[in-house]
Amino acid sequence: MSNALVTEKKLSNFINGEWVSAQQDHFAPVVNPANGEKLIDVPLSSQEDVNQAVKAAKKAQKEWALVPAPQRAEVLYRVGYIMKERKEHLSQILTMENGKVIEEARGEVQEGIDMAFYMAGEGRRLFGHTTPAELKDKFAMSQRAPVGVVGIITPWNFPIAIATWKSFPAIVAGNAVIWKPATETPMMAYEMAKIFVEAGLPNGVVNVVFGSGSEVGDAMVEHSDIRVISFTGSNETGRTIAGKCGQLLKKVSLEMGGKNAVIVMDDANLDLAVQGIIWSAYGTSGQRCTACSRVIVHESVKEQLEERLLAEIDHLTIGDGLDEQNKVGPIINEAGLRKIEKYVQIGQEEGARLLAGGNALNEGDLNKGYYFAPTLFTDVKPDMRIAKEEIFGPVLSIIPVKDLDEAIEVNNDVAFGLSSSIFTQDINKVFKAQRDLDTGIVYVNAGTTGAEIHLPFGGTKGTGNGHRDSGQAALDVFTEWKAVYVDFSGKLQRAQIDVE
Ligand code: NAP
């Protein structure tokens, strides 16, 4: 036991409201990336555990779907209040298992709280439509129906927020959930399961099965009684899941990678732009799907921008996220660190000019964790690999351009379409950019991160498959539209035929 906050030695699955040992006695250590200390062991479950969870979920869902939505929502309100009371506790554990600095962990937990209250409000909306019928004495409406048992598969970089974006709309809409969190960050799922129990969620409505993607995740994807898979993670995994779901004709929502850019025009407030860039490039050590990894800058302000960015990078304090002084925490693990190193090498080989960082950090206590220096490349060409591929680390590339048209073209010429931003004082440029930037999220005079939970979250092209997390749009993933016609004419009226 490395910290008083972690009171267990081993986690168990959460199935049908109970803590259940996995069928096989295999575990993986969960390690604090800030200092390499083991926090807890997480079970590596198998297909049998998934089957057990689905059986419980299927039974629970039948009852849950019949509970009036405003009453289902009451449970979510209680979940939100408990999360609020426990915000600091959850934030500290989140920092320990994921590494992000405590201020950001608090922000992430707050996102989950906001989502609880927002989706609880849906209990009294879940709007469908009424519409005139084309025949006399006939009534027509559409309504949302739960899908059944849904599977959610979440990544390590937002271990609580993403799970709430998915599970809360699923719950309020009357589904039952099987949740597989990332093996690196299982503790938020453990904490949330405890909160669901305390909030009075009936047994079996949410089940947590820990284990690897290749075993537990795959078993969920393949299970015929799981009707929807909502996945957030890498493109590679998303593609595999989508292929299998396609074969099974299973609904699948994918939220995947990004190659997000900030555009800085010649009339931009440069001080503001620098703040936005630093926050979105180096926050969470660049391990956000919305992290800024490209700055597309008007050539006339490039040098000024570089100087100001370098000055700010100098002030970034790096270390254990539990220390409030630190602004940049560790990388999730050794493999993540090596991948970033590899991209720095690729950038140098491609001819980009390294202005700052470029190396792992090992001095003093940093030696125990996985740290990488905030890195800045300039004179990057749009077709270089560092300008095209997701690095998932604190590596930023400056790409000079001549005008707004070229900036938009460079922004759009990548395989992803999650988030983009423009700094300008010119209203005409603002409106042109928000229309033409091919991303699911556009910010004006702010960095590429900072989504609010009541708006749709997701992206175009390789970032997703047309669905959205968060906001009202999330309900579309977890509901089926049902059209209902009520004929009160007392005779058979045939649509399209008996219309006078
Ligand atoms: P990942 O390797 O794809 O893993 C994501 C989740 O999928 C984990 O729970 C993983 O399990 C599971 N998984 C792995 N292989 C699987 C398989 N064959 N079948 C079913 N599940 C499987 O992604 P990551 O490295 O954890 O996350 C980083 C990526 O997520 C980045 O690309 C980032 O941009 C993206 N992301 C996107 C958004 C968005 O909303 N667009 C938000 C956050 C992150 P295990 O790891 O436990 O094996």
Side-chain angles (χ1 to χ4, degrees):
M1 197 185 309
S2 59
N3 188 298
L5 288 174
V6 185
T7 52
E8 313 280 333
K9 287 201 165 128
K10 281 181 181 175
L11 290 172
S12 303
N13 290 330
F14 179 69
I15 297 176
N16 207 21
E18 291 180 1
W19 300 101
V20 184
S21 298
Q23 301 287 327
Q24 51 190 26
D25 197 27
H26 297 166
F27 290 85
V30 180
V31 171
N32 182 340
N35 55 26
E37 279 178 19
K38 181 165 119 173
L39 297 167
I40 204 162
D41 279 315
V42 60
L44 295 174
S45 310
S46 61
Q47 188 179 6
E48 282 170 57
D49 300 294
V50 173
N51 292 344
Q52 197 185 340
V54 175
K55 205 170 152 198
K58 218 176 149 185
K59 188 159 171 278
Q61 194 269 331
K62 285 206 168 68
E63 304 268 313
W64 184 239
L66 298 178
V67 174
Q71 289 178 35
R72 296 197 294 254
E74 288 300 323
V75 178
L76 277 189
Y77 279 119
R78 290 197 290 275
V79 166
Y81 285 119
I82 301 171
M83 288 177 76
K84 208 169 160 181
E85 271 165 31
R86 223 164 276 175
K87 181 174 171 182
E88 189 56 27
H89 173 81
L90 293 169
S91 305
Q92 295 203 12
I93 295 179
L94 171 52
T95 290
M96 284 164 55
E97 70 171 357
N98 164 283
K100 65 180 64 179
V101 297
I102 188 70
E103 187 186 24
E104 291 181 38
R106 289 183 190 124
E108 182 178 342
V109 174
Q110 186 60 45
E111 217 171 318
I113 297 168
D114 295 343
M115 194 66 189
F117 293 127
Y118 178 68
M119 274 300 152
E122 272 309 317
R124 289 188 184 272
R125 288 188 295 265
L126 285 174
F127 294 134
H129 302 280
T130 59
T131 182
E134 66 185 36
L135 291 157
K136 274 187 196 157
D137 296 333
K138 190 176 172 193
F139 178 83
M141 65 183 168
S142 64
Q143 62 189 32
R144 289 185 185 276
V147 187
V149 178
V150 306
I152 71 173
I153 302 177
T154 52
W156 50 264
N157 71 333
F158 279 86
I160 193 164
I162 292 175
T164 67
W165 294 353
K166 296 178 189 297
S167 62
F168 293 174
I171 292 168
V172 81
N175 300 284
V177 175
I178 313 290
W179 173 16
K180 192 211 91 62
T183 305
E184 270 103 344
T185 54
M187 290 173 62
M188 283 296 104
Y190 168 67
E191 294 293 327
M192 282 308 298
K194 287 196 292 186
I195 290 174
F196 285 131
V197 173
E198 287 171 53
L201 190 72
N203 293 345
V205 174
V206 171
N207 306 272
V208 180
V209 183
F210 296 106
S212 73
S214 54
E215 190 138 12
V216 172
D218 193 55
M220 288 167 64
V221 170
E222 298 274 1
H223 202 297
S224 56
D225 285 333
I226 296 185
R227 304 267 304 272
V228 175
I229 293 288
S230 175
F231 164 83
T232 298
S234 65
N235 278 63
E236 204 185 350
T237 310
R239 243 176 243 279
T240 307
I241 291 175
K244 291 186 178 175
C245 288
Q247 283 299 319
L248 297 165
L249 297 180
K250 186 174 291 199
K251 190 171 178 182
V252 57
S253 160
L254 306 170
E255 291 300 339
M256 302 173 288
K259 191 68 193 173
N260 316 294
V262 167
I263 296 173
V264 182
M265 295 312 300
D266 47 355
D267 63 351
N269 174 338
L270 284 191
D271 288 332
L272 184 62
V274 166
Q275 284 175 39
I277 293 166
I278 293 283
W279 170 237
S280 33
Y282 302 122
T284 324
S285 303
Q287 301 170 107
R288 293 172 178 146
C289 50
T290 53
C292 167
S293 64
R294 300 181 293 158
V295 172
I296 303 170
V297 60
H298 193 284
E299 58 191 9
S300 66
V301 291
K302 173 178 164 268
E303 274 178 32
Q304 284 181 62
L305 187 75
E306 284 170 2
E307 277 165 27
R308 292 184 204 202
L309 283 172
L310 284 172
E312 285 300 315
I313 288 172
D314 245 13
H315 289 121
L316 289 173
T317 41
I318 300 160
D320 189 332
L322 283 180
D323 180 342
E324 305 265 357
Q325 303 302 314
N326 290 329
K327 296 290 171 221
V328 181
I331 303 302
I332 187 71
N333 55 27
E334 175 90 26
L337 204 63
R338 297 297 154 239
K339 182 179 170 200
I340 299 164
E341 270 175 349
K342 187 192 83 183
Y343 271 105
V344 169
Q345 194 187 340
I346 290 170
Q348 286 175 310
E349 286 166 7
E350 285 178 313
R353 196 152 57 84
L354 187 63
L355 293 181
N359 54 293
L361 297 170
N362 301 310
E363 311 92 58
D365 278 353
L366 298 188
N367 185 30
K368 297 182 193 148
Y370 311 110
Y371 295 91
F372 203 87
T375 296
L376 185 62
F377 276 112
T378 193
D379 297 333
V380 174
K381 303 271 186 309
D383 58 352
M384 288 179 178
R385 283 184 66 190
I386 56 167
K388 292 267 189 206
E389 296 171 19
E390 188 181 47
I391 300 173
F392 231 53
V395 179
L396 182 61
S397 292
I398 296 181
I399 306 172
V401 290
K402 287 193 174 52
D403 55 26
L404 180 61
D405 285 337
E406 190 184 350
I408 291 172
E409 202 181 310
V410 170
N411 178 82
N412 292 348
D413 191 22
V414 289
F416 304 99
L418 184 52
S419 179
S420 56
S421 127
I422 180 164
F423 283 86
T424 179
Q425 305 293 321
D426 181 337
I427 190 75
N428 296 338
K429 290 187 178 126
V430 167
F431 271 84
K432 184 176 162 62
Q434 65 82 25
R435 184 193 62 194
D436 295 344
L437 289 168
D438 187 5
T439 53
I441 307 168
V442 175
Y443 292 93
V444 176
N445 291 327
T448 54
T449 63
E452 299 181 26
I453 58 92
H454 52 300
L455 280 84
F457 186 94
T460 62
K461 300 186 282 186
T463 293
N465 65 339
H467 292 284
R468 292 292 184 268
D469 272 341
S470 215
Q472 293 265 314
L475 292 169
D476 292 335
V477 176
F478 299 108
T479 54
E480 294 280 5
W481 280 112
K482 185 176 283 186
V484 179
Y485 302 95
V486 181
D487 192 316
F488 51 99
S489 68
K491 58 186 180 200
L492 177 67
Q493 301 195 88
R494 295 169 302 170
Q496 293 93 39
I497 296 171
D498 294 330
V499 182
E500 285 153 25

